[in-house]
Protein backbone atom coordinates (compact mmCIF):
# COMPACT_ATOMS: atom_id res chain seq x y z
CA UNK A 1 0.00 0.00 0.00
CA UNK A 2 1.08 3.59 -0.61
CA UNK A 3 2.22 5.16 2.65
CA UNK A 4 1.59 8.87 3.13
CA UNK A 5 3.79 10.62 5.70
CA UNK A 6 2.67 13.82 7.44
CA UNK A 7 4.25 15.76 10.29
CA UNK A 8 2.17 15.07 13.43
CA UNK A 9 1.50 18.58 14.67
CA UNK A 10 1.99 22.29 14.07
CA UNK A 11 1.31 25.40 16.14
CA UNK A 12 0.88 28.79 14.50
CA UNK A 13 -0.52 32.21 15.37
CA UNK A 14 -3.63 33.63 13.69
CA UNK A 15 -2.75 35.65 10.62
CA UNK A 16 0.33 33.60 9.82
CA UNK A 17 0.92 31.36 6.81
CA UNK A 18 1.17 27.62 7.43
CA UNK A 19 2.23 24.79 5.14
CA UNK A 20 1.34 21.18 5.84
CA UNK A 21 3.34 18.58 3.98
CA UNK A 22 2.52 15.08 2.77
CA UNK A 23 5.08 12.72 1.24
CA UNK A 24 4.05 9.56 -0.62
CA UNK A 25 6.10 6.36 -0.61
CA UNK A 26 5.61 6.14 -4.41
CA UNK A 27 4.34 8.44 -7.09
CA UNK A 28 0.64 9.26 -6.99
CA UNK A 29 0.72 11.67 -9.94
CA UNK A 30 -1.67 14.47 -8.92
CA UNK A 31 -4.30 12.18 -7.40
CA UNK A 32 -3.92 13.66 -3.94
CA UNK A 33 -6.74 15.13 -1.88
CA UNK A 34 -6.85 17.04 1.42
CA UNK A 35 -9.43 16.93 4.21
CA UNK A 36 -10.11 18.92 7.35
CA UNK A 37 -11.53 17.26 10.44
CA UNK A 38 -12.56 19.38 13.40
CA UNK A 39 -12.93 17.70 16.82
CA UNK A 40 -16.10 15.61 17.03
CA UNK A 41 -17.00 16.17 13.39
CA UNK A 42 -16.76 14.26 10.14
CA UNK A 43 -13.99 15.10 7.66
CA UNK A 44 -14.66 17.60 4.89
CA UNK A 45 -12.96 17.80 1.51
CA UNK A 46 -10.79 20.90 1.03
CA UNK A 47 -8.65 20.22 -2.03
CA UNK A 48 -8.95 17.59 -4.75
CA UNK A 49 -6.47 16.60 -7.45
CA UNK A 50 -3.63 18.26 -5.54
CA UNK A 51 -4.60 21.86 -6.26
CA UNK A 52 -8.33 22.22 -6.93
CA UNK A 53 -10.33 24.07 -4.30
CA UNK A 54 -13.56 22.30 -3.38
CA UNK A 55 -16.70 24.38 -3.75
CA UNK A 56 -17.46 26.48 -0.68
CA UNK A 57 -13.93 26.22 0.76
CA UNK A 58 -12.31 29.61 1.52
CA UNK A 59 -9.59 30.75 -0.87
CA UNK A 60 -7.21 30.90 2.11
CA UNK A 61 -6.68 27.20 1.45
CA UNK A 62 -4.52 26.06 -1.45
CA UNK A 63 -2.72 22.92 -2.50
CA UNK A 64 0.27 22.08 -4.65
CA UNK A 65 2.54 19.22 -5.63
CA UNK A 66 2.82 16.18 -7.84
CA UNK A 67 4.54 12.83 -7.78
CA UNK A 68 5.53 12.19 -4.16
CA UNK A 69 5.57 15.63 -2.48
CA UNK A 70 2.48 17.67 -1.71
CA UNK A 71 1.64 20.74 0.34
CA UNK A 72 -1.50 22.23 1.82
CA UNK A 73 -1.16 25.95 2.55
CA UNK A 74 -3.43 28.09 4.71
CA UNK A 75 -2.82 31.84 4.37
CA UNK A 76 -3.78 33.55 6.54
CA UNK A 77 -4.62 31.10 9.32
CA UNK A 78 -7.75 31.85 11.33
CA UNK A 79 -8.79 30.57 14.78
CA UNK A 80 -11.49 28.40 13.18
CA UNK A 81 -8.80 26.42 11.31
CA UNK A 82 -7.94 24.46 14.45
CA UNK A 83 -8.34 20.89 13.17
CA UNK A 84 -6.54 17.79 11.96
CA UNK A 85 -5.66 17.78 8.27
CA UNK A 86 -5.37 14.55 6.28
CA UNK A 87 -3.93 13.89 2.86
CA UNK A 88 -5.30 10.96 0.83
CA UNK A 89 -4.13 9.40 -2.44
CA UNK A 90 -6.29 7.73 -5.07
CA UNK A 91 -3.67 6.85 -7.71
CA UNK A 92 -2.78 3.45 -6.28
CA UNK A 93 -5.14 0.83 -4.84
CA UNK A 94 -6.19 0.77 -2.08
CA UNK A 95 -6.84 4.46 -1.38
CA UNK A 96 -4.79 5.47 1.65
CA UNK A 97 -4.71 8.38 4.10
CA UNK A 98 -1.87 10.05 5.91
CA UNK A 99 -1.89 9.89 9.71
CA UNK A 100 -2.98 13.51 9.93
CA UNK A 101 -1.41 16.80 11.00
CA UNK A 102 -2.97 18.44 14.03
CA UNK A 103 -2.97 22.21 13.65
CA UNK A 104 -3.15 24.24 16.84
CA UNK A 105 -3.47 28.00 17.14
CA UNK A 106 -1.23 29.84 19.58
CA UNK B 1 -28.40 20.14 0.47
CA UNK B 2 -26.42 16.90 0.39
CA UNK B 3 -27.10 14.65 3.37
CA UNK B 4 -25.71 11.27 4.32
CA UNK B 5 -27.15 9.81 7.52
CA UNK B 6 -25.64 6.64 8.96
CA UNK B 7 -27.41 4.33 11.40
CA UNK B 8 -27.07 0.86 12.87
CA UNK B 9 -24.00 1.25 15.06
CA UNK B 10 -23.79 0.06 18.63
CA UNK B 11 -22.14 -2.33 21.07
CA UNK B 12 -21.66 -5.89 19.78
CA UNK B 13 -19.77 -8.92 21.06
CA UNK B 14 -16.77 -10.30 19.18
CA UNK B 15 -17.81 -12.78 16.50
CA UNK B 16 -21.28 -11.28 16.11
CA UNK B 17 -22.76 -9.31 13.21
CA UNK B 18 -24.01 -5.79 12.61
CA UNK B 19 -25.47 -4.03 9.57
CA UNK B 20 -24.93 -0.33 8.97
CA UNK B 21 -27.13 1.81 6.75
CA UNK B 22 -26.54 5.20 5.14
CA UNK B 23 -29.51 7.16 3.79
CA UNK B 24 -28.62 9.66 1.08
CA UNK B 25 -30.49 12.75 -0.07
CA UNK B 26 -29.81 16.00 -1.91
CA UNK B 27 -27.95 14.43 -4.83
CA UNK B 28 -28.53 11.72 -7.44
CA UNK B 29 -27.34 8.74 -5.39
CA UNK B 30 -27.39 6.32 -8.33
CA UNK B 31 -24.79 8.43 -10.18
CA UNK B 32 -22.15 8.11 -7.47
CA UNK B 33 -19.71 5.47 -6.34
CA UNK B 34 -19.91 5.14 -2.57
CA UNK B 35 -17.58 4.02 0.19
CA UNK B 36 -17.24 3.30 3.90
CA UNK B 37 -14.36 4.89 5.79
CA UNK B 38 -13.69 4.20 9.46
CA UNK B 39 -11.82 5.90 12.28
CA UNK B 40 -10.76 4.03 15.40
CA UNK B 41 -10.92 6.10 18.62
CA UNK B 42 -8.21 8.78 18.62
CA UNK B 43 -6.80 7.39 15.36
CA UNK B 44 -6.70 8.36 11.69
CA UNK B 45 -8.94 7.60 8.75
CA UNK B 46 -8.99 4.19 7.06
CA UNK B 47 -10.77 3.20 3.86
CA UNK B 48 -12.91 0.08 4.32
CA UNK B 49 -14.86 -0.66 1.13
CA UNK B 50 -16.11 0.87 -2.10
CA UNK B 51 -19.05 0.07 -4.38
CA UNK B 52 -19.61 1.31 -7.92
CA UNK B 53 -22.57 3.53 -8.77
CA UNK B 54 -24.60 0.60 -10.10
CA UNK B 55 -23.47 -1.96 -7.53
CA UNK B 56 -21.69 -4.10 -10.10
CA UNK B 57 -18.22 -3.74 -8.55
CA UNK B 58 -17.06 -3.88 -4.95
CA UNK B 59 -13.65 -3.51 -3.31
CA UNK B 60 -12.49 -4.17 0.24
CA UNK B 61 -9.43 -3.64 2.35
CA UNK B 62 -7.65 -6.89 3.09
CA UNK B 63 -8.48 -6.96 6.80
CA UNK B 64 -12.26 -7.05 6.15
CA UNK B 65 -12.39 -9.23 3.02
CA UNK B 66 -14.67 -12.18 3.55
CA UNK B 67 -16.21 -10.61 6.67
CA UNK B 68 -17.76 -7.34 5.43
CA UNK B 69 -20.16 -6.85 2.51
CA UNK B 70 -20.94 -3.47 0.97
CA UNK B 71 -24.18 -3.12 -0.98
CA UNK B 72 -26.64 -0.46 -2.12
CA UNK B 73 -30.28 0.02 -3.01
CA UNK B 74 -30.49 2.83 -5.53
CA UNK B 75 -34.30 2.83 -5.40
CA UNK B 76 -34.04 3.70 -1.70
CA UNK B 77 -30.90 5.86 -2.03
CA UNK B 78 -29.33 3.78 0.71
CA UNK B 79 -25.87 2.30 1.21
CA UNK B 80 -25.22 -0.68 3.49
CA UNK B 81 -22.35 -2.40 5.23
CA UNK B 82 -22.95 -5.91 6.54
CA UNK B 83 -20.27 -6.72 9.10
CA UNK B 84 -19.84 -10.34 10.19
CA UNK B 85 -17.34 -12.05 12.49
CA UNK B 86 -16.58 -8.74 14.15
CA UNK B 87 -13.29 -8.27 15.98
CA UNK B 88 -12.18 -5.81 18.62
CA UNK B 89 -10.00 -4.08 16.02
CA UNK B 90 -13.15 -3.22 14.04
CA UNK B 91 -14.14 -0.79 16.81
CA UNK B 92 -14.45 2.60 15.11
CA UNK B 93 -16.73 5.33 13.89
CA UNK B 94 -17.91 4.31 10.42
CA UNK B 95 -18.54 7.03 7.86
CA UNK B 96 -20.26 6.64 4.53
CA UNK B 97 -18.91 8.87 1.80
CA UNK B 98 -19.19 9.46 -1.91
CA UNK B 99 -16.10 8.34 -3.81
CA UNK B 100 -14.44 9.29 -7.08
CA UNK B 101 -10.82 8.72 -8.00
CA UNK B 102 -10.58 12.28 -9.35
CA UNK B 103 -12.59 13.93 -6.57
CA UNK B 104 -11.78 11.90 -3.46
CA UNK B 105 -14.36 11.43 -0.72
CA UNK B 106 -16.44 14.51 -1.42
CA UNK B 107 -19.58 13.97 0.68
CA UNK B 108 -19.48 12.53 4.21
CA UNK B 109 -22.03 11.43 6.75
CA UNK B 110 -21.77 12.23 10.44
CA UNK B 111 -20.68 8.68 11.29
CA UNK B 112 -21.97 5.85 13.45
CA UNK B 113 -19.95 4.28 16.27
CA UNK B 114 -19.39 0.52 16.33
CA UNK B 115 -17.91 -0.93 19.50
CA UNK B 116 -16.85 -4.58 19.51
CA UNK B 117 -16.40 -5.78 23.06
CA UNK B 118 -17.47 -8.56 25.37
Amino acid sequence: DTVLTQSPALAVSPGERVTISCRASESVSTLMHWYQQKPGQQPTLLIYLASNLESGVPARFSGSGSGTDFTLTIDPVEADDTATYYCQQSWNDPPTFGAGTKLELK
Amino acid sequence: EVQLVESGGGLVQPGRSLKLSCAASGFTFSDYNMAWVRQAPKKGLEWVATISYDGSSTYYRDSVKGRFTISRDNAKSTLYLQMDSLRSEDTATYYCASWAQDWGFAYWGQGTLVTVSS
Side-chain angles (χ1 to χ4, degrees):
Chain A
D1 296 1
T2 303
V3 176
L4 302 180
T5 302
Q6 298 182 243
S7 52
L10 288 170
V12 298
S13 299
E16 291 185 345
R17 179 177 184 266
V18 65
T19 58
I20 297 171
S21 65
C22 177
R23 174 162 288 177
S25 60
E26 57 189 319
S27 177
V28 299
S29 186
T30 58
L31 269 68
M32 181 67 77
H33 319 291
W34 290 92
Y35 304 85
Q36 178 192 64
Q37 186 177 32
K38 297 181 179 180
Q41 296 185 18
Q42 71 269 45
T44 60
L45 178 66
L46 296 174
I47 301 286
Y48 62 97
L49 293 179
S51 61
N52 294 273
L53 192 67
E54 173 67 355
S55 175
V57 175
R60 303 183 292 104
F61 293 88
S62 63
S64 64
S66 67
T68 60
D69 291 294
F70 298 85
T71 299
L72 173 70
T73 300
I74 311 173
D75 186 14
V77 171
E78 296 183 358
D80 187 52
D81 298 334
T82 296
T84 300
Y85 293 85
Y86 294 93
C87 56
Q88 178 255 318
Q89 67 81 26
S90 57
W91 178 253
N92 300 306
D93 283 328
T96 51
F97 291 87
T101 297
K102 188 172 184 179
L103 180 66
E104 296 181 344
L105 279 287
K106 295 178 184 175
Chain B
E1 180 195 3
V2 170
Q3 278 203 314
L4 293 169
V5 180
E6 299 95 337
S7 60
L11 175 63
V12 61
Q13 294 179 328
R16 304 298 292 266
S17 299
L18 206 59
K19 186 172 186 177
L20 306 182
S21 300
C22 171
S25 61
F27 66 106
T28 306
F29 180 73
S30 57
D31 285 348
Y32 287 74
N33 302 327
M34 297 296 294
W36 289 95
V37 176
R38 67 185 179 185
Q39 186 170 35
K42 306 290 188 187
K43 299 295 186 182
L45 301 167
E46 182 177 80
W47 167 79
V48 175
T50 297
I51 187 167
S52 60
Y53 67 98
D54 60 357
S56 63
S57 299
T58 56
Y59 307 90
Y60 301 90
R61 69 179 301 104
D62 287 346
S63 61
V64 307
K65 270 181 196 172
R67 300 189 299 122
F68 288 12
T69 303
I70 187 172
S71 62
R72 65 191 298 160
D73 185 336
N74 284 345
K76 295 182 177 180
S77 295
T78 302
L79 177 72
Y80 303 100
L81 185 67
Q82 175 69 44
M83 303 185 294
D84 298 323
S85 303
L86 281 161
R87 305 168 180 168
S88 58
E89 55 264 36
D90 296 319
T91 293
T93 295
Y94 284 74
Y95 297 100
C96 71
S98 65
W99 163 248
Q101 188 182 29
D102 59 355
W103 197 21
F105 299 100
Y107 305 146
W108 293 74
Q110 85 289 348
T112 187
L113 177 62
V114 173
T115 303
V116 183
S117 175
S118 54

